[in-house]
Amino acid sequence: MSDVPDDPMAKARRLVLSFLPQDRQPKSDEVYNAVNVIFGMMAAQGEAVDRDVLVKEIEALTAVFQERSLALTEGEGHEPWLPEAKNDRDWDFWERYRRYLEDVVNLPPWVVRRLDQSSDDVLSQLEDPRRPGPWRRRGLVIGQVQSGKTGQYIGLTAKAVDAGYRFIVVLAGIHNDLRSQTQLRIDEGLLGFDTQNQSRSDENGRSRAIGVGKMPLAKKLKIASPTNSGEKGDFGLATAKAINFPLGDFPVVLVVKKHYKILEYVRKWVLDVHGVEDENGDKVISDLPLFVIDDEADNASINTVRDPEADPTKTNAAIRKLMKSFDKSAYVGYTATPFANIYIDPEADHSEAGEDLFPASFIRSLPSPSNYLGPERVFGLQVEDEDEDDVQALPLVRHVDDSDAWLRSGHKSGDVPAGDLPKSLREAILSFVLSCAARRARGQAKAHNSMLVHVTRFTAVQTLVYEQVQDHLHLVVDMMRDRYGKGPEIRAEFRALWERDFTPTTDCFEPEQAERLTWDQVSDQLLPALRKIQVKTVNGSSKDALDYYDNRRNGLSVIAIGGQKLSRGLTLEGLTVSYYLRPSKTYDTLLQMGRWFGYRPGYEDLCRLYTMPALEDAYVEVTAATDELRREVEEMATLGLTPKQFGLKVRASSLGLTVTAANKMRQSTKIMLSYSGEGPETVIFNLARGTVERNYQALESLVRRMDAITKPVPAQAPNGKVRWNDVPAEIVSEFLTTYETDRMAQRVRPRLIAKYVDQCTRVGELGSWTVCLVGSTTSDTPKEIAGHRVGLVTRKALNPKFGDEGRYTIRRVLSPPDEMIDLDDDQKEAAHAAAGKAAKLQDKASTSKTPAGPHIRRQRRTDQGLLLVYPLTVPDASETGQTTPVVGFQVSFPHSEYQAKTEYEANAIWLQEDIYTKDEEDDEA
C-alpha cells in the first residue's frame, strides 16, 4: 500500500471508503459498486489506478472488525462533561490524528471508529480540565501485547489536549530506546514535528514536519515538547534550563523514562515555574491540569514494598508525588498484563507520596481487531460461549529440543555456548532469510524485517551468541556466492525448507491472506535478502540500535539478539522469526516477552516461533488465564460493579496464583483465595503411569462411595452420562484431595479447591452436589468404571509429541453444555438473559444455545455445586501403551455469599508448585 496521502491510490481508497456504509461492514457487491464509481470518476479526471488492486485493498480494510470496549467505573465525585464539551470546543488535534490514521497509516475504518469510541469512553471518565479543582481520576486500560495501545493513547492524548489539558507527561518504559521510540510515535501522531530539530510547533527557521504535520493541508497547531526523540532526549536539569516557553498557554508534552530521578526533575521544574504556596506553605500547581499516561503501567510503577505502611519504592513514590503536586490531575495506565495493577491496595495513602495508583475510577478492556496476531491465534483458545467460535492455533510454532547441549537452561553469566549453533537455530536463521525473500517477492522489498533471538538474560552470553550467529550468517552468504562449490548445496537446503515448511503452512491461509509463491520467485530474491541482513545485540551494554526510523525508506533487515530490553514495550518492526528459549515464572513476564504478537499484513504465513514444548504449554495456560481475566472484566462491567469490587475479587481469586511477581502482590505475607463463581478445570495431565493409575483409582473410589449412598440417574443413551444427585460435600472433597495434577497445572490445585469446599460447608454453602461421570455416546472405546459403562471422551492434544514429553495438554476438558445439566428452567432462562445483555453491550448478536460459564455460575444457588468428571482416552493410546483412562474434571462453583477464602503462604506455593524456579531478576546493564 502507498503511504503518500495524496497519491491517486490513496485518494481512490479514501473516496471509496467514504461511499461505503459507516455503521456496518459493507457487502462484497457494495465494495465492487463503490470501486467502479470512483474508478470511473478518476479515469475521467485522468488519474489512473489499478481497479483490481483497489478492490483487494478495500476488501482487506473493510474485512477487519473490532468489538466495543467495556469498563468498570466508579462515578462517585465525578461530573459528566464530555457530551457538552463536544459542542463548545474545537477538536483539531483529534481530527488531524484521525485523518492521519485513515489516510497515511491506512487503518481499517472499523478500527478507527472503535478507537474514536474507546478514546471518548476513557476521556469521559476523566474530569473536565475546566472544572474547578481539586480533583483526581485514576484509570487503567487493558489491551493486548503489541496490539496498538500506543496508537490508542495518542488518540486519547489528542482529545485530552483539545479538551483543555495543558500539561501531559507520558511515562514510557525504563530504557532509553523505548522512551525514544515512544517519543517518535508522539512526534508523528500528536506533535507533527521532529523534536530532534525543534521543541515547539511555532518555531521558525528549522521546522521539520513529520507525521500529522506533513499531511497536505494539515493544520499547524500550537504545541511544545521539551523532550525529544533522540537517544539522550529525556528530561534533565539542562533541559529545564533551556525551556523558553510559558506553561498553561498551550499544550506541553513530555515523554520521559520511568525513573525516579527524571520524575523528580520534572516535578521540581514545574513547581519552580508554576507552583504557588498553599495554606500549609507547600508548593502546589493549582491551575494547570495534569494528564499522566503510564505506558506498561505494571512495570516499575508498582510499589513492591511488603509493608503498605512503609515508604514506597522510589519510582512508584515519584509518580505519586508528581500527581500530588497538582490539585487537578488525571492518570491512565495502559498495559496488556494488568495483574499487578489490580493487586494494588485501593486504600493505600502515604503521608508524603500520596495515594497509590490503584485504578479506582475505571478499568476498561480493549478488544483487539480481528486482524491482530495475538496469543489466541498463535496458541489457540477454546471459549466457553457457544456464540463464539474456538480460536484454532495457526501452524506457526516449531519445537526446539536440541538447544540444551549448546546452551543449557539455567546457565550462568560466565558460561560459554558449547559447540556450533544448534540445528534448530540454524534452521530458524534460514527461515528468516526465506521470509525476507518471500516478502520481497510479494512486493515488500522496502519493508522492515526482524528476527528475535532471546536465549539468555546475560549480556556476556548474548555477545557470544551474537558472534556465532554473525559467523553463521557470513558462512551462508559465502556459500550462496559460491555458484559452483557450496552454492547448489545451500540453495537445495533453502528449497527443501521452503517446500517442507513454508508451502504447506501458506496453504493453511486463505488466498487473500497469503499470496502463493513459486520456488523460483523466492529463489531469485535469496541473495538480495541475505545481503541486507544485519546482526545486532540489543542490551544495556551494546552500542547497536534498532534504527528503523533512519532506515524507513529502504527498510531494515536485522537479527536482534537480546534479553530484557527486547522483552517489554520495544517493537520489533516486521518481526517474522522468533527463536525464544527463556522461561519465566509469571504470566505477565511471559506475555510481555512475546514480541511476535502484533499485526503482520500480507505475511502472517511467513512468521515462525521456535521454542521449547514446555514454553508452548506455558503460553497455552497464560492465554487461557488472560482471556478469563478479560471476560471477568466484561461480566462485572455488565453487572455494573466498580474497580474496587473487581480488585477485591481478583485478589481473592484463583487467578491470583502465579499471575505476577510475588513482590507485586505483597499486601501481606499470605494470599487469600476464593473459587467463588469460578470453574476450574484440568487441561494438563501427567502421563506418568503411577499418576494415571492413582487418579483412576480415585475416580473408581468416588463412584463406589456415591453408589453406596444415592441411586444414580442412568445414562439416557448407551455409554453416555451417569449422574448422582445430593452427593455430600465430603465425598467431593475426598476425591479432590486424592487427585494428582501435573506440576504445570498452575490454575487447578485440587487440594486448595477441596479446602475451599470444606470452608464453604462450614457456613452452610456447597452442602449438596451433583456429580456427573461424562461418557461419550459416540466413543469406540467404552470402559467399565466401578460397574458403570461409559464411552471414553476424546480431546485433541495441543502438544503432538506428548508421548515423549510425558505430559498431555488439551485446550479444554469441559464441553460447555455439560455445565447446565443440574440447572432448573428458571436458572437456564436467567443465564440466557444475562448472556444476551452482555452481548448487547458488546454489539454482538446472542444466538448461543449455551451461555458462557460465568453466566451459568452466576445463577447457581449457594448450595448447588457441580463436579463433572471426564474419563479421557489419550490419542494413539495403543502406541504409547496407555490403557488406563486419564481422568479430568471441571468444578462449577456458585457465587459465595461469604466469599469463603483459602489462605496460603504465597512464597511457599511459589517455590513448590511454580513452573520454573529460576530467579527472574535481570542483571543486564
Side-chain angles (χ1 to χ4, degrees):
M1 292 184 184
S2 167
D3 61 359
V4 182
D6 55 349
D7 77 347
M9 183 60 77
K11 179 180 177 183
R13 189 168 51 240
R14 187 164 61 248
L15 290 170
V16 171
L17 290 172
S18 68
F19 263 65
L20 295 172
Q22 302 299 305
D23 58 343
R24 60 176 173 81
Q25 290 178 285
K27 300 173 183 175
S28 294
D29 59 336
E30 291 175 320
V31 170
Y32 278 100
N33 291 338
V35 166
N36 285 334
V37 169
I38 299 305
F39 178 81
M41 184 183 79
M42 293 188 67
Q45 296 174 351
E47 295 183 282
V49 294
D50 187 315
R51 184 181 349 212
D52 293 338
V53 171
L54 182 58
V55 168
K56 284 184 179 178
E57 287 200 10
I58 298 297
E59 285 182 332
L61 285 169
T62 56
V64 177
F65 177 76
Q66 186 174 11
E67 295 175 352
R68 283 207 73 156
S69 63
L70 288 177
L72 299 95
T73 60
E74 173 58 80
E76 185 178 351
H78 174 58
E79 295 183 4
W81 62 281
L82 189 57
E84 186 66 29
K86 285 287 184 181
N87 295 317
D88 67 12
R89 287 161 226 200
D90 296 326
W91 298 89
D92 292 335
F93 280 95
W94 162 250
E95 287 302 322
R96 188 172 73 167
Y97 182 58
R98 180 189 58 77
R99 192 179 146 218
Y100 175 71
L101 295 178
E102 292 174 342
D103 296 351
V104 179
V105 182
N106 295 329
L107 277 190
W110 206 281
V111 174
V112 177
R113 198 169 303 130
R114 287 301 193 219
L115 194 154
D116 188 8
Q117 291 173 340
S118 62
S119 54
D120 266 4
D121 290 337
V122 175
L123 185 66
S124 70
Q125 287 301 314
L126 308 181
E127 292 304 323
D128 183 351
R130 297 180 182 178
R131 176 186 167 183
W135 45 258
R136 183 162 299 162
R137 297 287 283 177
R138 297 188 308 275
L140 180 71
V141 178
I142 305 169
Q144 288 261 31
V145 176
Q146 301 277 288
S147 67
K149 296 188 298 297
T150 306
Q152 209 277 347
Y153 70 65
I154 291 174
L156 172 63
T157 305
K159 288 182 176 179
V161 165
D162 285 325
Y165 282 92
R166 286 292 174 261
F167 195 69
I168 318 292
V169 178
V170 179
L171 308 179
I174 59 175
H175 295 295
N176 284 329
D177 45 9
L178 179 53
R179 192 216 65 83
S180 176
Q181 176 184 277
T182 303
Q183 175 88 52
L184 180 58
R185 293 286 304 277
I186 296 283
D187 291 358
E188 292 175 328
L190 179 67
L191 303 175
F193 59 85
D194 184 349
T195 48
Q196 291 195 51
N197 293 328
Q198 61 189 104
S199 61
R200 52 196 288 185
S201 56
D202 57 349
E203 283 182 351
N204 297 319
R206 49 190 178 132
S207 174
R208 184 178 175 188
I210 61 172
V212 292
K214 198 176 180 181
M215 294 187 301
L217 306 178
K219 275 192 174 183
K220 304 300 181 187
L221 303 173
K222 199 167 184 181
I223 192 168
S225 176
T227 56
N228 70 65
S229 60
E231 185 77 6
K232 297 181 179 179
D234 207 341
F235 195 87
L237 292 175
T239 313
K241 291 177 182 177
I243 293 173
N244 61 355
F245 46 76
L247 293 179
D249 291 356
F250 51 83
V252 174
V253 181
L254 290 80
V255 182
V256 300
K257 266 201 316 294
K258 220 182 293 188
H259 190 282
Y260 71 96
K261 286 185 179 179
I262 304 293
L263 292 165
E264 276 297 288
Y265 290 150
V266 172
R267 188 177 72 87
K268 289 177 179 177
W269 165 68
V270 74
L271 281 172
D272 284 344
V273 300
H274 211 79
V276 294
E277 285 193 2
D278 62 12
E279 62 274 11
N280 299 319
D282 297 324
K283 274 197 169 183
V284 66
I285 296 99
S286 61
D287 59 349
L288 184 69
L290 167 70
F291 182 35
V292 174
I293 294 280
D294 190 352
D295 195 9
E296 307 293 350
D298 63 310
N299 188 30
S301 302
I302 305 299
N303 180 21
T304 55
V305 173
R306 183 182 295 275
D307 181 0
E309 300 300 319
D311 291 342
T313 47
K314 290 181 179 179
T315 300
N316 171 265
I319 298 172
R320 291 159 67 175
K321 286 161 75 174
L322 178 65
M323 299 282 294
K324 188 180 178 183
S325 297
F326 290 74
D327 68 355
K328 302 178 178 68
S329 66
Y331 168 95
V332 180
Y334 279 78
T335 183
T337 47
F339 307 106
N341 304 82
I342 294 165
Y343 273 93
I344 296 170
D345 182 356
E347 309 299 332
D349 190 355
H350 189 266
S351 58
E352 186 177 343
E355 295 176 335
D356 208 344
L357 302 176
F358 179 79
S361 303
F362 62 90
I363 300 174
R364 180 165 293 276
S365 177
L366 295 179
S368 300
S370 56
N371 63 335
Y372 169 65
L373 184 65
E376 294 83 0
R377 295 183 66 206
V378 175
F379 301 107
L381 179 72
Q382 186 163 344
V383 297
E384 293 188 8
D385 193 340
E386 284 193 348
D387 193 31
E388 300 179 43
D389 294 329
D390 293 346
V391 182
Q392 299 302 320
L394 293 171
L396 306 179
V397 179
R398 304 291 178 265
H399 285 167
V400 174
D401 54 15
D402 62 353
S403 62
D404 222 42
W406 169 65
L407 192 64
R408 64 182 179 84
S409 59
H411 62 271
K412 304 299 182 184
S413 59
D415 288 353
V416 175
D420 296 332
L421 296 179
K423 181 181 177 183
S424 57
L425 181 48
R426 296 198 304 271
E427 180 185 294
I429 292 170
L430 296 187
S431 292
F432 179 57
V433 177
L434 284 170
S435 71
C436 294
R439 292 192 70 192
R440 292 177 70 90
R442 287 176 177 172
Q444 301 173 1
K446 295 187 177 182
H448 296 308
N449 294 282
S450 299
M451 176 179 177
L452 164 68
V453 178
H454 190 161
V455 298
T456 177
R457 61 196 176 100
F458 300 113
T459 57
V461 183
Q462 289 168 19
T463 301
L464 298 174
V465 173
Y466 160 83
E467 291 169 354
Q468 283 193 293
V469 171
Q470 178 87 292
D471 289 345
H472 183 71
L473 190 67
H474 284 159
L475 176 63
V476 173
V477 173
D478 290 343
M479 290 174 70
M480 284 289 293
R481 287 171 173 158
D482 185 4
R483 296 178 60 188
Y484 304 105
K486 295 286 189 179
E489 178 185 327
I490 190 66
R491 282 189 178 272
E493 191 174 349
F494 272 120
R495 181 168 187 168
L497 179 58
W498 177 263
E499 294 176 347
R500 181 183 78 247
D501 187 334
F502 283 79
T503 299
T505 300
T506 299
D507 287 342
C508 296
F509 289 75
E510 297 296 329
E512 59 268 21
Q513 294 177 302
E515 179 186 345
R516 273 50 176 172
L517 297 171
T518 66
W519 168 245
D520 287 342
Q521 288 175 294
V522 177
S523 179
D524 289 345
Q525 298 295 334
L526 279 176
L527 195 53
L530 256 172
R531 286 173 173 154
K532 196 173 179 181
I533 296 172
Q534 305 174 50
V535 184
K536 296 191 175 192
T537 52
V538 183
N539 56 46
S541 305
S542 170
K543 295 182 180 179
D544 289 344
L546 298 178
D547 45 356
Y548 295 114
Y549 185 72
D550 292 341
N551 290 275
R552 62 192 179 280
R553 298 194 184 281
N554 296 309
L556 177 68
S557 290
V558 63
I559 299 176
I561 297 166
Q564 175 73 4
K565 287 184 76 171
L566 290 179
S567 71
R568 184 183 277 272
L570 193 66
T571 299
L572 295 171
E573 301 285 353
L575 178 64
T576 49
V577 178
S578 299
Y579 191 86
Y580 172 69
L581 305 181
R582 184 175 166 193
S584 168
K585 61 165 66 172
T586 63
Y587 287 172
D588 47 10
T589 305
L590 273 173
L591 272 181
Q592 291 292 352
M593 287 181 174
R595 298 293 92 194
W596 46 85
F597 306 129
Y599 300 94
R600 307 289 185 266
Y603 62 101
E604 279 187 348
D605 61 312
L606 305 177
C607 296
R608 297 290 182 273
L609 169 58
Y610 286 81
T611 194
M612 297 178 293
L615 267 170
E616 184 183 16
D617 291 344
Y619 271 106
V620 169
E621 177 92 348
V622 170
T623 300
T626 50
D627 181 74
E628 185 177 327
L629 182 79
R630 288 189 181 89
R631 290 173 186 275
E632 195 85 42
V633 172
E634 293 169 1
E635 182 203 1
M636 295 188 76
T638 304
L639 296 170
L641 300 180
T642 67
K644 186 175 180 180
Q645 290 169 310
F646 179 69
L648 293 172
K649 182 181 190 307
V650 172
R651 262 191 295 283
S653 155
S654 59
L655 281 176
L657 289 171
T658 51
V659 293
T660 189
N663 63 355
K664 295 180 182 177
M665 300 193 296
R666 286 177 174 168
Q667 299 311 320
S668 66
T669 57
K670 291 176 168 50
I671 285 183
M672 307 295 290
L673 296 182
S674 171
Y675 287 93
S676 173
E678 297 197 12
E681 61 180 299
T682 51
V683 292
I684 304 174
F685 304 94
N686 188 331
L687 294 182
R689 190 175 299 278
T691 300
V692 173
E693 292 289 347
R694 285 190 291 273
N695 284 343
Y696 184 70
Q697 289 168 10
L699 171 58
E700 288 194 311
S701 176
L702 170 69
V703 171
R704 291 192 189 101
R705 287 199 63 187
M706 293 189 298
D707 278 343
I709 62 170
T710 184
K711 185 176 181 180
V713 179
Q716 295 180 346
N719 305 327
K721 300 180 181 74
V722 183
R723 192 174 94 194
W724 291 263
N725 297 323
D726 302 319
V727 177
E730 60 266 20
I731 293 180
V732 173
S733 291
E734 183 177 314
F735 167 74
L736 292 169
T737 302
T738 310
Y739 186 94
E740 298 179 18
T741 58
D742 187 272
R743 69 185 184 88
M744 286 278 290
Q746 302 177 76
R747 298 167 67 226
V748 179
R749 304 180 191 270
R751 288 170 184 77
L752 287 176
I753 297 173
K755 191 173 181 182
Y756 172 76
V757 172
D758 294 342
Q759 290 183 341
C760 283
T761 59
R762 292 188 201 127
V763 293
E765 297 182 338
L766 294 179
S768 179
W769 284 74
T770 297
V771 179
C772 184
L773 179 59
V774 183
S776 169
T777 58
T778 60
S779 172
D780 296 329
T781 53
K783 179 78 174 177
E784 189 95 5
I785 300 177
H788 298 276
R789 190 175 179 82
V790 295
L792 297 185
V793 175
T794 58
R795 293 289 187 263
K796 181 181 177 182
L798 294 180
N799 52 335
K801 296 182 180 179
F802 60 85
D804 297 332
E805 298 169 24
R807 177 179 293 117
Y808 170 46
T809 303
I810 60 177
R811 192 156 289 123
R812 295 202 72 188
V813 73
L814 174 74
S815 178
D818 293 345
E819 204 172 353
M820 296 187 75
I821 65 168
D822 62 333
L823 299 189
D824 60 34
D825 290 342
D826 289 342
Q827 288 174 312
K828 291 176 182 176
E829 185 178 337
H832 279 287
K837 181 181 177 183
K840 187 175 180 181
L841 278 173
Q842 297 174 72
D843 290 351
K844 295 193 299 186
S846 180
T847 58
S848 173
K849 295 179 181 178
T850 305
H855 301 306
I856 296 172
R857 297 190 286 273
R858 180 66 66 177
Q859 305 311 318
R860 291 191 171 280
R861 298 184 303 275
T862 57
D863 65 338
Q864 190 179 13
L866 172 67
L867 172 65
L868 297 163
V869 185
Y870 294 80
L872 304 170
T873 179
V874 178
D876 303 319
S878 58
E879 297 179 18
T880 60
Q882 184 73 53
T883 56
T884 304
V886 169
V887 178
F889 69 81
Q890 191 257 6
V891 188
S892 183
F893 281 114
H895 283 259
S896 169
E897 291 183 1
Y898 293 90
Q899 285 285 314
K901 297 169 186 173
T902 304
E903 181 182 277
Y904 75 102
E905 291 283 347
N907 291 343
I909 294 292
W910 208 271
L911 295 173
Q912 291 167 13
E913 302 197 40
D914 204 3
I915 309 178
Y916 306 105
T917 56
K918 66 186 287 187
D919 186 11
E920 269 300 302
E921 291 302 314
D922 200 281
D923 68 341
E924 290 185 18

